[in-house]
Amino acid sequence: MTAVATASALSLPISLRSPSKLVPRKVRGNIGVFAVFGEDGGSVSKKSAWSTLFNVEDPRPKAPLYKGKILDVNQALEVARLDIQYLDWRARQDVLTIMMLHEKVVEVLNPLARDYKSIGTLKKDLAELQDELAQAHKQVHISEARVSAALDKLAYMEELVNDRLLQARSTTETDQAATSPSSSAQSLETAKRKLPRKSLDVSGPVKSYHPSLKNFWYPVAFSADLKDDTMIPIECFEEPWVIFRGKDGRPGCVRNTCAHRACPLHLGSVNEGRIQCPYHGWEYSTDGKCEKMPSTKLLDVRIKSLPCFEQEGMVWVWPGSEPPAAKLPSLQPPQGFVIHAEIVMELPVEHGLLLDNLLDLAHAPFTHTSTFAKGWSVPSLVKFLTPASGLQGYWDPYPIDMEFRPPCMVLSTIGISKPGKLEGQSAKQCATHLHQLHVCLPSSRQKTRLLYRMSLDFAPILKHVPFMQHLWRHFAEKVLNEDLRLVIGQQERMINGANVWNWPVAYDKLGVRYRLWRDAVERGEKRLPFTK
């Protein structure tokens, strides 16, 4: 990039001042430059086109003095913005220094100048200029790093304000943040580290699920898997249940334990819309009432049942003690997508750890090197961009939109040019897409029932290819196994006391918000964060 193009790229909004006389300024590295061009001098006419880029006022005199004071949110943001303005001014001076040194090099190498200087003098001048150029380039890189850090700092502070997380900071942390602009970066970095560590502690033996987490509709099976004469045994929140269809064809969910001798009902059969115990033939309807007792007098016996509903190809249950919500959330793929695969797997991990993994894409180039992320480059920075208060957004630089939908669902839309290859742009700009649904049903404290649905908006013929379902399942299991060996290791260390959320960073945003949402549910808060 030429010097002019480099200078033009620095376009942060900063106040400009009118041209004045040449004012020498000193920059770091002891390089003297003219930061503002004047009205006279031979070099002014050459650089008049650049004057608006470098005729910038030093913002430091405008910075308010906050040293020794407690900053409120607006003051802290103002300090961060002034810091960015100073770094922009600093970067402009660095670029100007390089431009001036470049002109000196041109002057030294000019044929007319060589007539008046000896070769030894030229070599000496060139060596000095190369040293100055190296120092100037080094200073530019330092300034770029500072600008990037300042922008990240400002974005982080705005996120804290929008998410109302500043209220959780202690008085000590506030005092540490109330420093002068020169030390604000260190203080904010300290707060940045301390806040997530205070908010997220996922360690020790996997705790029993809080009753409040049960008061949601949970998808437990795909409708296509539940035939009229079949049963599906499941575990949900440490309790055994069995799903089957009644006489009217509607699904029901009852406890998977016979009231007579505690025999597992799923070992029996479905008889005329009733589930029959294989031990003594007692039969139960979908509401849990025993309607048949062979070889004895019929007694008024009932086993526990759960509210059960079927919608959009999925069977849902309500395991909580509160009355069920009137509406179920929709998990249908977007318009134009065709469902190609529905897969169910039982996994030996706690459902929260699995959700943490699914809500994280930054691990893909390191974990999924033999499947979908094979050949992916490692970006210098990965971000998840989302509204100030929300549980959905999109990844940068990956063309993937993602959403956590309470209580245990993850939806994602991946923009692709062909299966397994990313185009490197936003999902909306991609021609074809893969849509995924992951449901992580909490079976027990160390077990998850995963429901996976895959949909495509291209190649509809693939749905009718024989054995294609088996191919999709093989690929899904291969991807999942790459994650499982890591997540199971996390779980083992968590049980032994390690905190699996020790150092959250920028790309952990969606996972952190899920954990904050879940903590609020388990505390029994009426108004949950990040939800409408």
Side-chain angles (χ1 to χ4, degrees):
M1 182 181 292
T2 64
V4 175
T6 304
S8 301
L10 300 172
S11 56
L12 287 175
I14 300 180
S15 303
L16 302 177
R17 49 186 282 193
S18 60
S20 59
K21 293 183 179 181
L22 288 170
V23 181
R25 301 274 176 90
K26 295 291 286 181
V27 300
R28 295 183 182 179
N30 297 323
I31 301 174
V33 299
F34 288 95
V36 182
F37 294 98
E39 299 171 352
D40 51 0
S43 63
V44 176
S45 60
K46 297 180 182 179
K47 304 176 182 61
S48 59
W50 303 339
S51 60
T52 56
L53 291 173
F54 300 107
N55 188 11
V56 176
E57 185 177 4
D58 185 352
R60 286 178 293 181
K62 293 184 177 181
L65 298 178
Y66 290 126
K67 187 173 183 180
K69 299 180 180 179
I70 297 176
L71 296 180
D72 59 21
V73 173
N74 294 327
Q75 289 172 336
L77 288 172
E78 181 64 21
V79 168
R81 291 192 180 96
L82 287 172
D83 197 11
I84 292 175
Q85 289 185 0
Y86 166 72
L87 292 173
D88 176 80
W89 175 82
R90 172 75 275 153
R92 292 170 190 261
Q93 307 310 307
D94 295 337
V95 174
L96 180 58
T97 301
I98 293 176
M99 293 169 59
M100 300 289 285
L101 292 173
H102 175 74
E103 291 190 356
K104 287 184 180 181
V105 173
V106 174
E107 180 182 351
V108 170
L109 296 177
N110 191 296
L112 294 176
R114 287 201 299 268
D115 295 340
Y116 299 96
K117 294 184 179 180
S118 66
I119 295 178
T121 304
L122 287 173
K123 288 183 178 179
K124 182 180 178 180
D125 290 345
L126 284 173
E128 291 177 353
L129 289 172
Q130 286 176 349
D131 290 340
E132 291 182 0
L133 278 171
Q135 294 178 13
H137 279 291
K138 182 179 179 180
Q139 185 62 41
V140 167
H141 293 316
I142 293 174
S143 297
E144 288 176 348
R146 287 176 176 172
V147 169
S148 178
L151 289 172
D152 288 342
K153 177 176 64 180
L154 180 61
Y156 180 77
M157 291 188 63
E158 289 176 344
E159 181 180 338
L160 291 182
V161 174
N162 292 331
D163 294 344
R164 300 181 181 179
L165 296 178
L166 284 175
Q167 299 176 2
R169 294 174 60 184
S170 64
T171 305
T172 304
E173 293 170 336
T174 306
D175 292 339
Q176 290 176 348
T179 58
S180 62
S182 61
S183 61
S184 60
Q186 180 180 358
S187 301
L188 285 169
E189 187 64 26
T190 301
K192 197 173 182 178
R193 290 196 303 266
K194 287 187 176 181
L195 184 59
R197 286 174 61 83
K198 180 179 179 180
S199 301
L200 296 178
D201 182 10
V202 184
S203 61
V206 183
K207 302 175 183 177
S208 298
Y209 290 106
H210 194 277
S212 298
L213 198 60
K214 300 180 180 181
N215 291 315
F216 293 92
W217 282 108
Y218 283 86
V220 294
F222 292 113
S223 297
D225 295 334
L226 188 62
K227 309 299 182 183
D228 290 340
D229 56 348
T230 61
M231 298 172 287
I232 300 178
I234 64 168
E235 280 186 273
C236 184
F237 292 104
E238 309 279 348
E239 293 185 88
W241 305 91
V242 61
I243 305 167
F244 65 102
R245 294 190 182 276
K247 293 179 180 180
D248 56 2
R250 295 179 182 178
C253 180
V254 299
R255 189 186 294 276
N256 191 9
T257 306
C258 181
H260 181 209
R261 302 283 291 276
C263 179
L265 292 175
H266 77 276
L267 299 177
S269 60
V270 176
N271 182 24
E272 296 180 352
R274 295 186 299 269
I275 188 168
Q276 185 183 70
C277 177
Y279 208 168
H280 297 94
W282 290 23
E283 297 184 6
Y284 301 90
S285 61
T286 54
D287 62 357
K289 181 177 178 58
C290 185
E291 296 185 344
K292 193 172 183 181
M293 294 181 182
S295 306
T296 186
K297 181 181 178 181
L298 183 64
L299 303 176
D300 186 14
V301 175
R302 184 182 296 270
I303 57 176
K304 185 177 180 180
S305 64
L306 295 179
C308 187
F309 202 81
E310 188 173 21
Q311 174 179 285
E312 297 175 345
M314 303 194 79
V315 179
W316 301 68
V317 300
W318 181 279
S321 57
E322 295 183 1
K327 294 184 179 180
L328 280 72
S330 175
L331 299 181
Q332 283 285 84
Q335 187 175 2
F337 283 79
V338 176
I339 297 173
H340 282 251
E342 293 180 336
I343 300 168
V344 180
M345 289 179 273
E346 302 287 344
L347 307 177
V349 293
E350 193 267 338
H351 89 290
L353 291 177
L354 186 59
L355 282 169
D356 290 342
N357 175 267
L358 294 171
L359 296 172
D360 170 31
L361 192 62
H363 73 282
F366 306 97
T367 304
H368 300 291
T369 53
S370 63
T371 53
F372 71 90
K374 185 177 182 180
W376 282 20
S377 60
V378 179
S380 58
L381 184 65
V382 176
K383 294 182 179 179
F384 185 79
L385 306 172
T386 185
S389 179
L391 292 167
Q392 66 184 67
Y394 61 95
W395 288 93
D396 179 16
Y398 305 120
I400 299 178
D401 299 338
M402 185 171 286
E403 175 186 359
F404 167 70
R405 188 166 295 178
C408 64
M409 289 83 80
V410 178
L411 297 93
S412 58
T413 301
I414 306 173
I416 53 178
S417 57
K418 60 182 180 180
K421 183 178 179 181
L422 291 177
E423 290 186 352
Q425 53 187 334
S426 68
K428 292 182 179 179
Q429 295 175 322
C430 296
T432 55
H433 304 82
L434 163 70
H435 182 78
Q436 296 183 111
L437 165 67
H438 292 84
V439 177
C440 301
L441 178 67
S443 297
S444 66
R445 281 177 284 182
Q446 296 184 41
K447 185 175 166 184
T448 300
R449 179 179 173 86
L450 175 66
L451 278 64
Y452 173 74
R453 173 189 279 171
M454 188 204 71
S455 308
L456 302 174
D457 63 355
F458 66 98
I461 191 65
L462 291 177
K463 185 175 182 179
H464 306 288
V465 175
F467 306 109
M468 200 65 192
Q469 179 85 2
H470 299 285
L471 181 62
W472 290 130
R473 184 179 185 91
H474 170 75
F475 184 76
E477 289 178 344
K478 190 173 181 180
V479 172
L480 194 59
N481 285 334
E482 291 177 323
D483 286 317
L484 275 182
R485 62 189 184 91
L486 308 179
V487 181
I488 291 175
Q490 279 185 299
Q491 182 170 263
E492 292 173 352
R493 281 150 182 78
M494 181 185 75
I495 292 173
N496 291 328
N499 182 10
V500 299
W501 273 104
N502 238 354
W503 295 101
V505 293
Y507 52 67
D508 292 323
K509 179 187 290 185
L510 190 57
V512 169
R513 291 191 175 186
Y514 157 67
R515 285 292 176 177
L516 295 178
W517 172 87
R518 181 169 167 179
D519 288 346
V521 171
E522 295 180 349
R523 289 194 303 268
E525 294 185 8
K526 296 298 183 182
R527 185 173 182 178
L528 300 177
F530 313 117
T531 55
K532 296 180 181 179

